[in-house]
Amino acid sequence: MLRTHTCGELRITDIDKTVKLSGWVQRSRDLGGMTFIDLRDRYGITQLVFNMETHATLCKKARKLGREYVIQVEGLVAERSNKNTKIPTGEIEITAENIVVLNESKLPPFTIEDNTDGGEELRMKYRYLDLRRNPLRKALELRHKMAITTRNYLDKQGFFDIETPYLIKSTPEGARDFIVPSRMNTNQFYALPQSPQTFKQLLMVAGYDRYYQIVKCFRDEDLRADRQPEFTQIDCEMAFVEQEDILDMFEGLTLHLFKEIKGMEIDKFPRMEYSDAMKYYGSDKPDIRFGMRFVELNDLTQDKGFAIFDQAELVVGIKADGLSDYSRKQLDQLTDLVRKPQIGAKGLVYIKYNSDGSFKSSVDKFYNTEDLQKITDRFEAKPGDLILILSGETEKVRKQLNELRLEMGNRLGYRNPNVFAPLWVVDFPLLEWDEDNGRFHAMHHPFTSPKPEDIALLETDPGKVRANAYDLVINGVEIGGGSIRIHNRELQKLMFKHLGFTEEEAQAQFGFLMDAFEYGAPPHGGVAFGFDRITSLFGGSDSIRDYIAFPKNNSGRDVMIDTPSLVSQAQLDELMLNIVKPTK
Ligand code: ASP
């Protein structure tokens, strides 16, 4: 071994031991008679001392070491006179007796420190250097712990870890597939799985009644901070269960992760129906770290001569505690915010319930003190509070108010990343109307079962059918979702019909699954958690990239290995693929 200890290991109790360490030169300081080097590895940093008086040649050699050189050092553990209480090895140092340069390093293009001077693109290009930095090392350590804790938990519950193929046939999860041409089957393609959905269901038919996998999924969709073209799920399925059993099992997993990883005891997760989530928070992933629930006001605001409210399908507001002294400028800022094209509100109405009990609103012309009192009473407002109201078409206005609510939550400091408020959102609609294509599509996926009591509605009012589908939401982030599945051929066929598939199309794409349902398919259901997302949430960040060793950038590129990239003509010929040649 090129070392006896790691750079994070030695303590005051190791004094006088002769040790060998290996690592990277983080920095060196030359103080005339002495040279100090901070030696770093994955485990920490240890200070090395070279003494000019006693070891002149060695000290001169040490002075020549550049940043990120890889060295091996042999020496004696000594007590430091100048202790550093910030690091675990801060009470000792190594009095060097010998060094070996294991490899030199070019000067890195950015500083390898907690707060680096490197821009995002540069750090992505040299990801292997960025990964040497503490914040990323910690992120990957957290990811590892989350994975191992998940595996241990599910193993104890009797789940089998079973791999499913990556070269498959398209499984619709609402995104585009990445496709892979097959050389041996000219003009035919595999698709990379958007999830192992159909395979895990087939495993249930096969009798493996508790399955899990920490698995890569691939979706070709536009990227955001919390999306990557390839990402990882904790994917699970169980047979002989009902919705409650699944919620219990995976609430158990989540609580276990909170306890083991963060040392936190979290209360039982509340359940919220999808329709309530939309009505009270304007979102299917409400952040319930704070209240600020929506209050509907149509009956109190209409017929007072204010045309905008009179014509609105929904008039709805929130109460911001203690903000009645917001200035004109602050209110204008909020108005500008909700009018941004991404949010799209036309305007914002405010009512200040002043500390002296008086009211000041942007609609004083239409509403007298008594009217305003009634409105603020509905919010249970106190003097000093501020009411913010939006109006318009129900669905749109709820979405807009959701954005405003989150912004006010930020401003009031209600969204502390160290506080966790999980909940299950349940009873999602089965189908969602797709304006662009003029038909319904599955809100979760086509294998989700309708609530038995709603099946009749499929013929009369498909939009009203509720599904046995659920999402786990934590702090406004959708951590995962799942459903009880259809396990009967006829119902699955009916579902495809409502999704606009012809019988032939359904058979061609999903015949294998419907056929399997005819060979003793047990009732089953499952869930998948976004592993990158739950890890970044535990890490207190909203960028999943920091928790993935080698992520893609916003255009789906890996700038380190420079891909996607062209392939050779010979490869294309072999695949019988013609591509439009780039002009340069
Ligand atoms: N396959 C689903 C997804 O990726 C999860 C599930 O229904 O289990 O969202």
Side-chain angles (χ1 to χ4, degrees), residues 222-370:
D222 296 334
L223 304 180
R224 298 192 304 239
D226 64 347
R227 276 206 192 143
Q228 284 274 305
E230 55 176 300
F231 61 97
T232 305
Q233 285 188 342
I234 306 173
D235 189 49
C236 309
E237 196 78 4
M238 300 169 81
F240 306 116
V241 287
E242 292 173 332
Q243 175 163 317
E244 273 309 304
D245 304 311
I246 298 199
L247 300 192
D248 273 355
M249 176 65 74
F250 293 96
E251 183 163 325
L253 168 64
T254 315
L255 290 171
H256 183 70
L257 287 168
F258 272 116
K259 192 158 172 223
E260 292 295 307
I261 310 269
K262 302 204 68 89
M264 280 178 155
E265 301 276 354
I266 305 256
D267 289 342
K268 222 178 145 28
F269 304 174
R271 312 268 160 96
M272 192 185 295
E273 285 176 21
Y274 168 87
S275 54
D276 282 344
M278 298 310 289
K279 187 175 160 81
Y280 296 116
Y281 300 92
S283 166
D284 60 0
K285 39 178 192 288
D287 183 348
I288 57 163
R289 275 174 295 184
F290 63 107
M292 218 188 264
R293 282 162 50 119
F294 293 7
V295 174
E296 299 187 353
L297 302 165
N298 290 50
D299 56 320
L300 295 181
T301 53
Q302 255 143 24
D303 301 326
K304 301 281 181 182
F306 185 43
I308 293 180
F309 281 0
D310 285 346
Q311 286 154 13
E313 191 183 358
L314 180 67
V315 180
V316 60
I318 49 174
K319 173 184 63 152
D321 289 330
L323 294 188
S324 73
D325 53 5
Y326 248 32
S327 65
R328 177 84 249 165
K329 196 168 150 213
Q330 284 169 305
L331 290 164
D332 286 347
Q333 264 176 6
L334 290 182
T335 309
D336 290 345
L337 175 92
V338 297
R339 285 165 91 169
K340 275 200 202 150
Q342 309 91 291
I343 302 189
K346 295 218 173 58
L348 173 69
V349 166
Y350 67 83
I351 303 172
K352 291 176 166 187
Y353 191 176
N354 296 319
S355 315
D356 62 4
S358 68
F359 294 103
K360 169 82 192 102
S361 83
S362 53
V363 286
D364 280 350
K365 240 196 277 170
F366 306 102
Y367 301 95
N368 61 29
T369 304
E370 199 184 324

Side-chain angles (χ1 to χ4, degrees), residues 21-62:
L21 301 184
S22 290
W24 288 262
V25 174
Q26 167 98 8
R27 59 189 186 127
S28 69
R29 291 175 313 279
D30 204 353
L31 303 182
M34 304 266 221
T35 294
F36 293 95
I37 286 184
D38 285 347
L39 192 68
R40 181 196 66 234
D41 65 11
R42 192 190 110 191
Y43 307 88
I45 287 181
T46 298
Q47 175 165 292
L48 316 178
V49 208
F50 300 84
N51 192 322
M52 194 65 182
E53 250 169 57
T54 56
H55 296 74
T57 323
L58 188 64
C59 195
K60 279 184 200 147
K61 193 171 171 189

Side-chain angles (χ1 to χ4, degrees), residues 173 195 197 200 219 233 235 444-445 481-483 485 526-528:
E173 294 274 4
S195 85
Q197 186 61 35
K200 65 174 171 174
R219 296 184 191 178
Q233 285 188 342
D235 189 49
H444 187 46
H445 51 54
S483 59
R485 327 296 183 187
V527 75

Side-chain angles (χ1 to χ4, degrees), residues 56 89 129 149 155 157 333 340 350 366-367 404 419 566 572:
T89 58
L129 296 181
T149 310
D155 176 53
Q157 301 292 334
Q333 264 176 6
K340 275 200 202 150
Y350 67 83
F366 306 102
Y367 301 95
L404 183 62
V419 172
L566 299 175
L572 292 175

Side-chain angles (χ1 to χ4, degrees), residues 15-272:
I15 295 243
D16 289 338
K17 280 188 190 157
T18 300
V19 297
K20 235 190 249 175
L21 301 184
S22 290
W24 288 262
V25 174
Q26 167 98 8
R27 59 189 186 127
S28 69
R29 291 175 313 279
D30 204 353
L31 303 182
M34 304 266 221
T35 294
F36 293 95
I37 286 184
D38 285 347
L39 192 68
R40 181 196 66 234
D41 65 11
R42 192 190 110 191
Y43 307 88
I45 287 181
T46 298
Q47 175 165 292
L48 316 178
V49 208
F50 300 84
N51 192 322
M52 194 65 182
E53 250 169 57
T54 56
H55 296 74
T57 323
L58 188 64
C59 195
K60 279 184 200 147
K61 193 171 171 189
R63 282 180 189 173
K64 291 210 188 92
L65 298 173
R67 264 165 49 199
E68 300 308 313
Y69 272 47
V70 190
I71 62 166
Q72 184 192 39
V73 61
E74 205 172 337
L76 208 61
V77 183
E79 186 168 359
R80 242 155 108 161
S81 52
N82 206 350
K83 296 201 170 58
N84 178 353
T85 51
K86 289 200 192 102
I87 56 172
T89 58
E91 288 189 288
I92 58 103
E93 62 193 5
I94 312 294
T95 314
E97 301 287 345
N98 190 26
I99 43 173
V100 178
V101 175
L102 299 173
N103 213 339
E104 297 183 356
S105 169
K106 282 166 88 173
L107 192 67
F110 49 85
T111 53
I112 304 199
E113 312 228 323
D114 288 10
N115 290 315
T116 172
D117 57 358
E120 166 110 34
E121 201 65 17
L122 194 63
R123 284 189 287 122
M124 289 276 260
K125 181 156 185 229
Y126 296 92
R127 185 71 171 177
Y128 47 89
L129 296 181
D130 205 19
L131 287 170
R132 287 185 190 163
R133 295 194 308 118
N134 226 1
L136 272 90
R137 191 204 40 78
K138 274 198 194 135
L140 291 192
E141 183 177 0
L142 172 65
R143 187 180 175 105
H144 161 73
K145 277 198 194 144
M146 297 284 286
I148 203 81
T149 310
T150 300
R151 289 185 193 284
N152 287 340
Y153 179 87
L154 292 174
D155 176 53
K156 279 219 179 71
Q157 301 292 334
F159 283 76
F160 274 5
D161 180 347
I162 304 175
E163 286 158 278
T164 51
Y166 282 157
L167 294 176
I168 67 159
K169 189 169 172 143
S170 166
T171 295
E173 294 274 4
R176 276 187 211 95
D177 289 319
F178 282 102
I179 56 171
V180 180
S182 161
R183 179 182 56 81
M184 287 191 284
N185 303 272
T186 311
N187 290 336
Q188 296 192 333
F189 297 83
Y190 302 100
L192 298 180
Q194 294 188 34
S195 85
Q197 186 61 35
T198 48
F199 286 95
K200 65 174 171 174
Q201 292 193 238
L202 292 170
L203 285 171
M204 295 306 113
V205 179
Y208 295 86
D209 58 14
R210 291 181 172 203
Y211 141 94
Y212 90 99
Q213 200 181 173
I214 299 185
V215 64
K216 274 288 172 71
C217 301
F218 306 84
R219 296 184 191 178
D220 187 2
E221 53 193 348
D222 296 334
L223 304 180
R224 298 192 304 239
D226 64 347
R227 276 206 192 143
Q228 284 274 305
E230 55 176 300
F231 61 97
T232 305
Q233 285 188 342
I234 306 173
D235 189 49
C236 309
E237 196 78 4
M238 300 169 81
F240 306 116
V241 287
E242 292 173 332
Q243 175 163 317
E244 273 309 304
D245 304 311
I246 298 199
L247 300 192
D248 273 355
M249 176 65 74
F250 293 96
E251 183 163 325
L253 168 64
T254 315
L255 290 171
H256 183 70
L257 287 168
F258 272 116
K259 192 158 172 223
E260 292 295 307
I261 310 269
K262 302 204 68 89
M264 280 178 155
E265 301 276 354
I266 305 256
D267 289 342
K268 222 178 145 28
F269 304 174
R271 312 268 160 96
M272 192 185 295

